[in-house]
Amino acid sequence: MVGNKKLQTIIEGVLSGKTDMLSKAITLVESQRSEDREDAAKVLAACSSSPGTSLRIAISGAPGVGKSTFINVFGQHLIQKGKRVAVLAIDPSSEKSKGSILGDKTRMAQLAVEINAYIRPSPTSGALGGITRNTHEAMLLCEAAGFDVIIIETVGVGQSETAVSNLVDLFILLVIAGAGDELQGIKRGIMEQADLVVVNKSDRAEKVNLRTAIQDLKNALHMFPPNDKGFAVEVLSSSAIENKNIDIVCEKALDLFSTMQNSGVLDRSRSEKAVTLMHQMLRTRILGVVFDRITNQEMRTMETAINNGELSPFQAVDELLKTVIGFT
Ligand SMILES: Nc1nc2c(ncn2[C@@H]2O[C@H](COP(=O)(O)OP(=O)(O)O)[C@@H](O)[C@H]2O)c(=O)[nH]1
Ligand SMILES: [Mg+2]
């Protein structure tokens, strides 16, 4: 339990940009302990009074495509432009990912030592809703601590990408040349979220393959209806390992952001996404609440009834809902 004085120190620390206090605040909002919830709410309330002016970017793409390596360089370019950069690395709950967090840390080694950088791996386990909420709150805290750019490294798979896209202003999708869409696990939904596509590891691709990859992606993007942000989605290439073209991607991202700011698209997009997020979170929370109410015993009973042919799956669902929420 954090005492009031301690809480005040955390709040003041965050607002004056102290990263050790920022870490404490993020730990607090990530805490699952019910006695921390109230303190977390206080910290959040005190830290999210001013409307955010930071640029929020998601760097997405299949595992291994080079996201962390890319962010390491990308972040340094942003810092050279006078920005303070926070990186939140979302991590799936699997065992496999525990290794990747360490990997991410070492891959961002140069960025990590920059005084104007803050890197926070979020080894969040649990439901998608929890991940989204933690990331959202961590983002607000980073913003309160004066970070101008907040980069979210996503896990590159499935549903979480769509959820993350509702937290950010720009969604940058990294891909590699030569691997088919299938191989890269790029779902149509993820492509559709992209504001900018970057073919990374250009150092490894033959020139002609790179050109083909870029053209293929452009063709694929063409199939989608134009976004309502007022710009066309471009396809660039980069080599994170050789620090090639990342400055161009950086320039482009800042450009898109100021275009969105000036046209009013940014405000509109943020409100739309906030509403979508609300719907999404509501669905996730309801799911959690209802499932939590079903006891193991009740679930087993239904499973057995289905196995014995006594109930159809639909009848079982009705029964369960009647038990836990009183109606179906
Ligand atoms: N050749 C080459 N390798 C890269 C490049 N970017 C990243 N890598 C390598 O690809 C592997 C995965 O990189 P990582 O940043 O961890 O990918 P992530 O899983 O998407 O975060 C590492 O071995 C990196 O050194 C690049 O531009 N060129
Ligand atoms: Mg990574």
Side-chain angles (χ1 to χ4, degrees):
M1 181 90 177
V2 180
N4 261 347
K5 187 139 178 277
K6 214 167 165 193
L7 212 56
Q8 203 50 39
T9 312
I10 293 180
I11 293 170
E12 278 163 19
V14 170
L15 293 175
S16 57
K18 294 201 178 103
T19 48
D20 54 340
M21 290 300 136
L22 176 60
S23 293
K24 284 198 171 155
I26 295 180
T27 304
L28 194 60
V29 300
E30 280 175 355
S31 168
Q32 308 277 349
R33 292 162 45 172
S34 52
E35 64 263 36
D36 287 337
R37 294 309 313 163
E38 206 178 306
D39 288 338
K42 278 186 197 151
V43 171
L44 277 171
C47 292
S48 34
S49 48
S50 56
T53 51
S54 66
L55 162 57
R56 306 154 184 183
I57 307 178
I59 304 286
S60 170
V65 75
K67 296 180 294 293
S68 303
T69 315
F70 180 93
I71 292 170
N72 182 44
V73 183
F74 185 69
Q76 292 178 72
H77 280 293
L78 287 166
I79 288 170
Q80 271 164 25
K81 289 180 176 293
K83 310 284 184 199
R84 290 185 78 212
V85 179
V87 181
L88 303 172
I90 303 185
D91 199 68
S93 49
S94 69
E95 276 302 311
K96 203 174 98 200
S97 63
K98 284 190 184 132
S100 89
I101 278 205
L102 287 176
D104 283 352
K105 263 195 165 167
T106 49
R107 272 169 203 137
M108 293 190 231
Q110 285 100 332
L111 182 62
V113 297
E114 291 278 352
I115 200 141
N116 285 316
Y118 174 73
I119 300 177
R120 170 83 184 196
S122 257
T124 321
S125 58
L128 178 65
I131 295 171
T132 316
R133 180 175 178 163
N134 287 349
T135 310
H136 185 228
E137 291 176 346
M139 206 171 72
L140 294 177
L141 292 170
C142 288
E143 206 159 69
F147 286 94
D148 310 291
V149 183
I150 298 157
I151 300 172
I152 301 179
E153 177 179 342
T154 76
V155 291
V157 275
Q159 263 188 309
S160 66
E161 305 303 287
T162 322
V164 165
S165 75
N166 284 314
L167 297 178
V168 299
D169 304 314
L170 283 179
F171 192 96
I172 301 182
L173 176 66
L174 295 196
V175 295
I176 46 175
D181 291 358
E182 287 307 313
L183 209 68
Q184 303 196 29
I186 305 172
K187 299 272 174 332
R188 187 193 150 93
I190 297 184
M191 268 295 247
E192 234 167 340
Q193 307 296 337
D195 296 304
L196 189 59
V197 178
V198 180
V199 184
N200 190 41
K201 305 198 183 182
S202 62
D203 55 285
R204 280 214 327 219
E206 299 277 340
K207 251 199 176 116
V208 53
N209 290 346
L210 187 62
R211 230 178 296 136
T212 315
I214 293 175
Q215 196 51 52
D216 285 351
L217 284 160
K218 281 185 177 163
N219 293 343
L221 287 162
H222 236 75
M223 314 266 266
F224 300 134
N227 70 25
D228 55 359
K229 291 183 176 168
F231 59 78
V233 179
E234 284 185 36
V235 183
L236 303 174
S237 67
S238 73
S239 166
I241 227 146
E242 294 182 351
N243 190 355
K244 248 178 50 213
N245 276 10
I246 311 256
D247 51 339
I248 296 174
V249 180
C250 182
E251 203 66 58
K252 187 78 213 165
L254 293 173
D255 232 38
L256 290 177
F257 187 58
S258 60
T259 307
M260 285 169 70
Q261 258 177 329
N262 296 336
S263 62
V265 163
L266 185 70
D267 285 341
R268 201 192 65 218
S269 146
R270 282 187 176 183
S271 353
E272 283 173 6
K273 286 179 176 185
V275 171
T276 311
L277 201 61
M278 192 266 285
H279 287 278
Q280 219 172 53
M281 295 300 287
L282 184 62
R283 259 196 295 271
T284 321
R285 284 282 280 284
I286 289 174
L287 212 64
V289 167
V290 173
F291 266 98
D292 281 352
R293 285 193 188 189
I294 302 174
T295 64
N296 282 342
Q297 178 60 42
E298 282 165 342
M299 197 61 108
R300 294 296 154 266
T301 310
M302 289 304 147
E303 285 167 5
T304 312
I306 292 171
N307 284 339
N308 294 343
E310 292 155 15
L311 287 177
S312 77
F314 308 99
Q315 289 168 318
V317 169
D318 281 349
E319 287 291 320
L320 282 172
L321 286 183
K322 239 183 264 163
T323 319
V324 297
I325 55 174
F327 58 89
T328 62

